[in-house]
Amino acid sequence: MSATTSNPSAGSDSQTMRAVLGFAAFGALLALVGFLQSWNVMLAIFNLCLISAVMALGVNIQWGYAGLFNVGIMGFAALGGVAAVLTSTAPVASAWQAGGLGILASGAVTLGVIALAVIAYRKLASGPLKTLVMLVVIIGGYFVIREVYDPAVAAIEADNPAQSGFLGGLGMPIMLSWAVGGVLAAAAAWLIGKVALGLRSDYLAIATLGISEIIIAMIKNEDWLTRGVKNVTGLDRPVPYEIDLQGAPWFTQLATDRGFDLVEGSSIFVKLAYAALFSSVLIAVLALCVLALASPWGRMVRAIRDNEVSAAAMGKNVTARHLQIFVLGSAVVGIAGAMLTTLDGQFTPGSYQPLRFTFLIWVMVIVGGSGNNLGSVLGAFFIWFIWIEAEIVGNWLMANATQFLEEGSALRTHLIDSAQHMRLFTMGIIMLLVMRFSPGGLLPERTASR
Amino acid sequence: MDVLNAITLFANFVFVPGLAYGAQLALGALGITLIYSILRFANFAHGDQMAFGTMVVILLTWWFQSLGVSLGPLPTALLALPLGMAALALYALAADKFVYRHYREIKAPPIRLVMASVGVMFVTNGLVRVIIGPDDQAFMDGERFIVRAGNFRRAMGLNEGLAIKSSQALTVVIAIALVVALFWFLNRTRTGKSMRAFSDNEDLALLSGISPQKVVTVTWIIAAALMTIAGTLYGLDKSFKPFTYFQLLLPMFAAAIVGGVGNPVGAILGGFVVAFSEVTITYAYKKFLTYLVPESLAPEGLMQLLSTDYKFAVSFIILVVVLLVRPTGLMRGKVI
């Protein structure tokens, strides 16, 4: 984590070289894909690289700055996806009529129950009476909430279930949801952090694992909110549709002037537009991260990370800083999650897999160099690239390696089918090897020369 | 009569399944707590290592079945169980040699070991999926039921039947035997005592000549045995699917923490607390209440506190409450 070089100034130079070389190598890889496969594929990979990089920056804030181990990245990314749906889809008037009032009422009742519980907790002297009152308030409150909530949910979900069956969103531009996703994820992180921070370091890991499973279960089952596993398709897009571009006079003009294929050109244009949007977010987040880490605040959090006891002795509030960092990092992950759903154009709760959304991001941060912002970006670029290309290479390798087996034999089909799972195995091996032999990662953390 | 019907219904759908599930969780939590207190990290690979051991058992079971070997009324998997335990022990020892030992030697903070276990989890998960595939596998054979619902109904003259699956009975019997053996080992044998000494105070244990390598090796072998047995029993009782085993991680951790991390008795208690909470909270009480209350008061809804889709929420809520109210757990485990 803290890689110190014997000669700081020389180390710094070689660091810059490493970064330049790393990004140049990545550019070369992309160009290779562009020439060998197609520029369309290249841009599709690159866009996801950008989103992964934002997510990895969020994780790096938590792990690299403060040593907080978050195993629930998937949940925070999914909250970003929820934000995309809730912000951009048009409100469903009939569903609001059917159960909107009930949902709002149950929300109000929930707040009331929580308020009552808090008052009871604060005002009553501890003893059996307090426990009893708390239990009655919480359990009784739960039944009252369900009494209001259940009919409202049933009414909403019965409203045209094939097409909608949910309340819809606010009908605002989807770009707004990126901020909303950050806020939602931050709120969830605050709740979790309040409970688990300040205890043993691995309790946070277990608690985040739990919250992410629950968030996924909620978005799969609360159909009134996000349609659950029925998915929400056709989300608003911040960029024009390919088909509209192909009909637009200025674009057809451009295509004939430059002499490119209209269909492929429109698809590349759309992807470029996405890439521009995502890069601006990435650059903004990266700049903020770099500035924060170089500021007095950055020195303080690194001091806390490296020695909590002495930082506390200097009067730093360790738990409060941890909570702050945990919330900030989760917010960045939420922003990336909303961006991902925007790029997909649809919200599919079934696609949230912990191995893809939590552990892959971890590999990115570790391989890139925990504590180094630029390193996380580079790690995200490379790992996403390998993740995508490994499937193609893996299938090709497995198909060739099983040449000697009979066509259609059970073993051969099994091996070819399992090629996709080799990716998990490879990623695990990469993570373990980097942790063991090069704990600093591709771009080790810069330690300030004094 | 209605009261008897209600009790039978409750026993059939809540008590018996909860008991079996609790025993499975308890075995898993015991392994977690053992690794926690002796190797000093939260083993995130636990669920997937369970899946690995169970996978070996399943493959051997299929092989035995193809050879026509069977245990009569008992599932063939029991025959394959020792081999599965041995295979997982070798795997765990290899993981320790190539991954964990380094971090122990450089005295890395526990969180690095946790991360390394995440890497092992990744690799194990990939291996299991490559070898046996990500799908459901059934490998239960032999006699399925000890008590059949229909027979019970006729014999007792009740409306409701009570079914006891042989896998449930096996789970409870094996779990009790295993726990007795484990406690005897930890409290009575020299190796067991040295493990406890090592967990209590590593430096003092080293000073008194306890070989750390031996303690680590024995711990992994015992943990591997517990994992394979817990995984196989769970697979016999429900079914084997790699992803389900990964998801078992949360209830198992919850059980270990609720009971008090590092405390074996606590792990067993925690396993049953989590299992019974999960089953009682996600059970629909409509029929149960219909038997007990007068017809006019019969409930209309399902009377289910929480849908089964949220069973993870139960272990999570228990975990949160314990962390808030009593972070050391019910049995006052030590905070390492």
Side-chain angles (χ1 to χ4, degrees):
Chain A
M1 221 155 47
S2 52
T4 35
T5 42
S6 51
N7 184 345
S9 60
S12 181
D13 276 352
S14 76
Q15 275 247 313
T16 318
M17 267 319 281
R18 277 176 89 142
V20 170
L21 277 178
F23 281 99
F26 178 70
L29 275 179
L30 280 185
L32 207 64
V33 173
F35 283 119
L36 290 181
Q37 284 179 287
S38 81
W39 293 100
N40 229 330
V41 173
M42 183 283 255
L43 279 172
I45 296 178
F46 184 57
N47 275 334
L48 280 163
C49 282
L50 290 170
I51 295 175
S52 307
V54 176
M55 230 179 254
L57 276 176
V59 176
N60 185 43
I61 293 176
Q62 298 176 338
W63 170 248
Y65 293 15
L68 300 175
F69 191 32
N70 176 356
V71 198
I73 303 164
M74 169 181 74
F76 298 104
L79 281 178
V82 171
V85 172
L86 295 187
T87 317
S88 73
T89 49
V92 182
S94 54
W96 271 102
Q97 217 144 37
L101 216 59
I103 288 290
L104 291 180
S106 70
V109 174
T110 312
L111 286 181
V113 170
I114 293 175
L116 217 60
V118 169
I119 291 172
Y121 183 78
R122 294 235 172 107
K123 297 283 170 194
L124 292 175
S126 15
L129 181 70
K130 181 176 177 175
T131 320
L132 187 72
V133 171
M134 292 290 291
L135 278 178
V136 168
V137 168
I138 291 171
I139 296 174
Y142 179 75
F143 281 102
V144 177
I145 295 167
R146 286 288 296 265
E147 205 56 39
V148 186
Y149 174 81
D150 286 352
V153 168
I156 293 168
E157 287 174 7
D159 174 61
N160 191 8
Q163 256 97 54
S164 77
F166 75 133
L167 281 178
L170 299 171
M172 311 258 254
I174 198 158
M175 295 270 284
L176 199 68
S177 75
W178 299 359
V180 177
V183 173
L184 277 186
W190 184 83
L191 270 179
I192 277 299
K194 265 293 188 202
V195 175
L197 286 171
L199 296 166
R200 299 176 42 119
S201 53
D202 28 19
Y203 282 1
L204 180 73
I206 296 162
T208 48
L209 180 77
I211 194 78
S212 76
E213 291 291 337
I214 290 172
I215 290 172
I216 301 301
M218 278 184 74
I219 60 176
K220 277 184 182 166
N221 293 299
E222 298 302 314
D223 288 14
W224 61 273
L225 188 67
T226 57
R227 292 200 78 210
V229 283
K230 290 183 283 182
N231 302 341
V232 181
T233 51
L235 288 175
D236 181 32
R237 273 169 66 147
V239 298
Y241 281 93
E242 286 87 345
I243 196 82
D244 293 340
L245 274 180
Q246 286 160 27
W250 66 271
F251 193 77
T252 41
Q253 186 61 44
L254 193 72
T256 38
D257 287 354
R258 295 292 165 97
F260 59 77
D261 180 49
L262 197 58
V263 176
E264 207 196 331
S266 65
S267 164
I268 289 183
F269 181 86
V270 167
K271 290 198 173 72
L272 278 176
Y274 271 124
L277 287 175
F278 296 151
S279 326
S280 30
V281 174
L282 175 62
I283 290 170
V285 173
L286 181 64
L288 286 174
C289 284
V290 170
L291 287 176
L293 204 57
S295 70
W297 180 85
R299 284 194 291 279
M300 171 179 63
V301 297
R302 272 176 297 160
I304 292 178
R305 180 196 66 195
D306 290 341
N307 194 334
E308 280 185 23
V309 179
S310 49
M314 300 293 284
K316 306 298 177 200
N317 187 341
V318 174
T319 311
R321 288 292 80 72
H322 276 173
L323 185 62
Q324 186 184 34
I325 290 165
F326 187 61
V327 167
L328 283 175
S330 300
V332 173
V333 173
I335 293 172
M339 283 166 35
L340 186 65
T341 307
T342 307
L343 177 66
D344 288 346
Q346 55 180 349
F347 180 63
T348 49
S351 66
Y352 287 100
Q353 297 285 334
L355 295 166
R356 149 81 178 82
F357 275 91
T358 298
F359 298 110
L360 194 63
I361 310 296
W362 266 106
V363 178
M364 292 171 182
V365 174
I366 290 169
V367 169
S370 31
N372 187 325
N373 292 309
L374 213 53
S376 301
V377 173
L378 190 63
F381 282 4
F382 270 114
I383 292 298
W384 183 260
F385 186 86
I386 295 172
W387 180 252
I388 291 296
E389 293 292 326
E391 184 168 16
I392 301 166
V393 176
N395 281 334
W396 179 83
L397 276 181
M398 207 50 118
N400 278 312
T402 53
Q403 282 285 316
F404 66 94
L405 289 167
E406 211 177 309
E407 185 79 35
S409 80
L411 184 62
R412 182 165 178 190
T413 6
H414 176 81
L415 284 175
I416 290 179
D417 282 346
S418 64
Q420 49 168 324
H421 305 301
M422 284 303 285
R423 294 198 293 179
L424 290 175
F425 181 74
T426 325
M427 285 299 153
I429 293 282
I430 291 179
M431 179 171 167
L432 285 174
L433 287 178
V434 171
M435 274 182 70
R436 171 78 166 76
F437 295 106
S438 166
L442 287 173
L443 301 178
E445 185 185 2
R446 263 170 218 256
T447 38
S449 49
R450 50 186 80 80
Chain B
M1 204 49 144
D2 277 352
V3 177
L4 278 181
N5 270 324
I7 293 174
T8 314
L9 191 71
F10 189 78
N12 191 30
F13 287 104
V14 177
F15 184 71
V16 174
L19 199 65
Y21 182 42
Q24 290 148 10
L25 282 186
L27 293 182
L30 259 180
I32 284 182
T33 243
L34 214 58
I35 295 176
Y36 227 120
S37 60
I38 296 172
L39 304 172
R40 294 167 212 279
F41 71 96
N43 182 19
F44 270 76
H46 211 85
D48 285 299
Q49 284 181 325
M50 257 166 73
F52 185 91
T54 313
M55 173 191 76
V56 176
V57 171
I58 293 177
L59 293 177
L60 288 171
T61 306
W62 287 344
W63 185 56
F64 287 145
Q65 282 169 346
S66 72
L67 292 181
V69 180
S70 87
L71 282 178
L74 291 172
T76 317
L78 289 186
L79 207 61
L81 197 54
L83 295 167
M85 280 153 63
L88 183 61
L90 286 179
Y91 183 78
L93 287 174
D96 187 74
K97 183 169 161 50
F98 292 114
V99 182
Y100 300 121
R101 183 194 274 175
H102 167 72
Y103 299 99
R104 254 199 324 273
E105 277 168 1
I106 62 167
K107 296 230 181 289
I111 202 79
R112 304 290 289 178
L113 278 157
V114 172
M115 294 197 64
S117 81
V118 167
V120 172
M121 182 197 86
F122 235 133
V123 171
T124 316
N125 194 301
L127 269 181
V128 171
R129 284 170 192 236
V130 166
I131 295 175
I132 204 166
D135 305 320
D136 255 315
Q137 313 287 351
F139 60 107
M140 175 72 188
D141 56 3
E143 194 61 54
R144 258 173 211 284
F145 289 97
I146 289 185
V147 179
R148 280 176 193 276
N151 297 347
F152 184 88
R153 207 161 28 221
R154 274 188 296 279
M156 304 289 287
L158 289 173
N159 291 336
E160 295 300 329
L162 174 69
I164 298 179
K165 288 197 281 184
S166 43
S167 58
Q168 291 166 332
L170 261 179
T171 299
V172 175
V173 171
I174 292 180
I176 292 173
L178 209 58
V179 167
V180 170
L182 182 68
F183 278 78
W184 174 81
F185 173 78
L186 286 178
N187 291 313
R188 292 274 181 273
T189 65
R190 201 178 163 74
T191 319
K193 282 180 190 164
S194 62
M195 281 167 67
R196 279 171 48 226
F198 190 82
S199 127
D200 199 40
N201 186 335
E202 192 178 334
D203 292 329
L204 200 59
L206 293 179
L207 202 63
S208 17
I210 289 170
S211 149
Q213 195 49 51
K214 186 177 170 195
V215 168
V216 169
T217 308
V218 174
T219 307
W220 277 118
I221 291 173
I222 295 176
L226 288 169
M227 286 181 213
T228 314
I229 294 173
T232 305
L233 291 174
Y234 186 89
L236 285 173
D237 195 20
K238 299 186 170 98
S239 78
F240 173 82
K241 191 180 180 190
F243 190 63
T244 318
Y245 279 58
F246 163 74
Q247 286 187 315
L248 275 179
L249 207 53
L250 187 63
M252 287 190 306
F253 269 128
I257 293 174
V258 167
V261 169
N263 186 326
V265 185
I268 297 164
L269 181 71
F272 286 104
V273 168
V274 169
F276 276 110
S277 316
E278 208 170 270
V279 182
T280 47
I281 289 178
T282 53
Y283 176 64
Y285 286 92
K286 180 186 165 102
K287 216 172 168 190
F288 178 73
L289 289 176
T290 314
Y291 278 119
L292 291 183
V293 296
E295 214 161 305
S296 55
L297 287 175
E300 275 177 33
L302 281 170
M303 297 307 285
Q304 190 180 21
L305 283 168
L306 208 58
S307 122
T308 39
D309 302 312
Y310 289 121
K311 59 180 184 192
F312 293 110
V314 178
S315 10
F316 182 72
I317 291 167
I318 296 175
L319 186 71
V320 166
V321 170
V322 169
L323 289 187
L324 284 175
V325 179
R326 198 179 163 119
T328 48
L330 295 174
M331 304 287 288
R332 285 258 178 253
K334 60 175 173 185
V335 176
I336 303 164

